[in-house]
Amino acid sequence: MTGQESGGLARLRRAAGHTQEAFVKAFRQEAARLGIAAAVSVRQLRRWESETPPPLPHPGQQAVLEAMFGMPLAEMGFDVPGHRVTVAAPISDAGEVKRRTFVADAGALAAAALLPAAPGPRIGTADLGRLRERLDGLYQTDHTAGSVPASTQAERIEAEITRALGSASYTSGVGRELQRMLAELHGHRAWYGYDGGRIAEGRAACMEALAAAQLVDNPLLQVSVLETLVLLAVKAGRSWEAASAVENAYRLATQAGAGATVHLVIALRDANVATHAGDLSGARRALTRAVSYQGRADSDADVPNWAKFVGPFEVDYATADMYVRADQPKRAVPFLRAAVRGIGGELARNSASYRVKLAGVLLAAGEVDEACAEVGRVLDTWGGIASPRLLGKVHDFQRAAGVVDSPTARECVARIRETA
């Protein structure tokens, strides 16, 4: 029996979803897991797949091939000498036989390797591309229309991915990518929990996302979850958890060789933790690091989607937050104005949130007319954004303005009541 006559190794490789180059990489990884000093080159793989009879792999390569495909080498189309034949028999019955014993029926394993593992629809790379496009679109929906419509879309995508993982047929590579997408969706749900004020729900989603990201061995995905966990932990009053999340995010980003943009996001979360803890010296140190990272961000070749929102306006906003915490609203105002100018119209939800923050600080600084004008700009576009957190900020301003004895303030409060 030869590789050409039976479909042999080439057929098994294609059924597993590997190109020749990808197979060589997978072979190396399996050898490392087994602790076997064995490797294969693309050239050697081509010989195994095309020559009749194919050259016999050495014993180490044989062990790796049998582990990868779950079947004896002889069933892959190789002429194997008797002393190296792997037999299908119970281990306890091996007796004096010196040949390596295979632990299951070879015929069944051969069928399993060549046939889909599940009866459902086949999921391929084209399906992954469509799911990825929809998943990436959640950022745009959230940034422009708010977390409420984004959450609805995310639920639909998550249901599709979960259904595919449970009942569809796919290669190991496709399955891994589906699991990665599911981890990302858990991360989105964590943010929606934060934006909606459902802190316990958001923290639970973070834990799911972290576990899923660890299972697919993706450090940057873990960083993206940890930066959301910081916000949730601060909101829950768990400062120790927020600080630990920052520390682990720095460690994972360094381990993954992340660029300046990812480190910028972490530095801003570091500043957030220090500000809310009243550690203004720590906040200044974190913001100094953030400015340094911002200066190098343009050199980043590949920025993850979750980090693309960040920019100089975030540094300005965090600096203003520090001054507000220090009860110096007048010093916060120029930084908030710069943040509002710099954020741009494509991040409509964040832009509105920044304006309301500016309005609140202006009100605290005694600039009533300007504060109400900023809120008025937010209300002009109110119908297009559905964000519970933004709504909460507007109501906070409404309460603060309600105690101000000013015609402008009273008019602004009445408009908020009618609109929001």
Side-chain angles (χ1 to χ4, degrees):
M1 180 166 55
T2 69
Q4 279 186 326
E5 291 168 346
S6 66
L9 191 61
R11 188 179 174 197
L12 288 166
R13 171 180 59 77
R14 287 192 294 268
H18 292 305
T19 63
Q20 290 181 329
E21 290 76 11
F23 178 85
V24 167
K25 181 179 179 181
F27 186 100
R28 183 170 61 250
Q29 291 171 340
E30 186 64 28
R33 290 192 191 101
L34 293 169
I36 295 175
V40 65
S41 65
V42 172
R43 181 179 179 182
Q44 186 174 19
L45 176 61
R46 287 172 180 162
R47 291 187 62 202
W48 283 347
E49 294 185 352
S50 62
E51 293 187 14
T52 306
L56 182 67
H58 64 63
Q61 291 172 325
Q62 176 179 352
V64 177
L65 287 171
E66 290 179 340
M68 290 181 72
F69 293 117
M71 60 191 302
L73 189 66
E75 297 292 330
M76 300 180 208
F78 292 93
D79 290 330
V80 184
H83 69 281
R84 284 181 52 188
V85 169
T86 304
V87 298
I91 296 295
S92 58
D93 292 343
E96 297 300 319
V97 178
K98 300 300 183 183
R99 309 176 218 174
R100 293 168 58 245
T101 304
F102 208 67
V103 296
D105 181 73
L109 285 170
L114 295 173
L115 298 175
R122 185 82 182 181
I123 302 294
T125 54
D127 303 293
L128 286 181
R130 287 189 288 271
L131 282 168
R132 169 55 61 186
E133 186 175 354
R134 292 169 61 197
L135 183 57
D136 290 346
L138 291 176
Y139 292 101
Q140 181 68 19
T141 301
D142 181 43
H143 288 155
T144 56
S147 66
V148 174
S151 180
T152 301
Q153 293 177 19
E155 287 176 7
R156 297 194 189 105
I157 300 171
E158 183 174 349
E160 288 185 35
I161 292 177
T162 303
R163 187 165 55 248
L165 281 167
S167 61
S169 176
Y170 45 80
T171 65
S172 59
V174 169
R176 185 178 178 82
E177 183 59 23
L178 287 171
Q179 291 182 67
R180 173 193 165 97
M181 290 182 182
L182 193 58
E184 290 184 49
L185 278 165
H186 291 323
H188 280 284
R189 282 200 293 109
W191 164 258
Y192 303 149
Y194 172 74
D195 190 64
R198 304 183 304 278
I199 305 305
E201 183 180 317
R203 288 185 70 252
C206 270
M207 297 306 110
E208 284 192 75
L210 280 174
Q214 287 172 344
L215 287 174
V216 295
D217 193 23
N218 192 309
L220 283 184
L221 190 50
Q222 293 176 60
V223 172
S224 76
V225 179
L226 288 169
E227 66 101 1
T228 302
L229 180 59
V230 171
L231 300 174
L232 288 158
V234 166
K235 204 74 171 176
R238 301 169 68 93
S239 57
W240 66 92
E241 184 176 81
S244 180
V246 167
E247 182 180 343
N248 277 279
Y250 275 130
R251 176 181 58 80
L252 287 164
T254 301
Q255 173 187 326
T261 304
V262 169
H263 280 88
L264 169 58
V265 174
I266 302 170
L268 289 170
R269 294 294 175 258
D270 195 356
N272 186 264
V273 173
T275 295
H276 281 79
D279 178 11
L280 301 184
S281 295
R284 282 194 296 271
R285 287 194 298 272
L287 287 169
T288 299
R289 285 196 296 273
V291 170
S292 175
Y293 290 131
Q294 176 60 52
R296 288 176 276 158
D298 288 343
S299 63
D300 280 356
D302 187 21
V303 179
N305 279 326
W306 56 268
K308 288 180 179 177
F309 74 91
V310 76
F313 51 86
E314 286 279 345
V315 181
D316 288 331
Y317 187 89
T319 304
D321 203 30
M322 178 186 68
Y323 282 123
V324 169
R325 182 69 174 79
D327 199 23
Q328 300 179 39
K330 288 185 181 294
R331 296 191 69 178
V333 167
F335 289 97
L336 281 170
R337 283 176 173 153
V340 168
R341 287 194 305 269
I343 193 169
E346 69 276 6
L347 301 176
R349 184 212 60 219
N350 284 6
S351 179
S353 180
Y354 281 20
R355 283 192 184 279
V356 177
K357 176 82 169 182
L358 172 59
V361 174
L362 286 167
L363 193 67
E367 302 291 341
V368 178
D369 290 350
E370 189 178 354
C372 291
E374 291 294 344
V375 169
R377 294 186 180 95
V378 172
L379 296 177
D380 288 342
T381 59
W382 185 256
I385 305 172
S387 166
R389 183 163 162 265
L390 175 59
L391 178 61
K393 286 187 174 185
V394 171
H395 284 159
D396 287 344
F397 181 88
Q398 179 185 3
R399 285 188 288 270
V403 299
V404 176
D405 185 14
S406 159
T408 304
R410 286 192 290 273
E411 181 181 345
C412 183
V413 168
R415 189 181 175 197
I416 292 173
R417 190 178 296 115
E418 293 169 1
T419 306

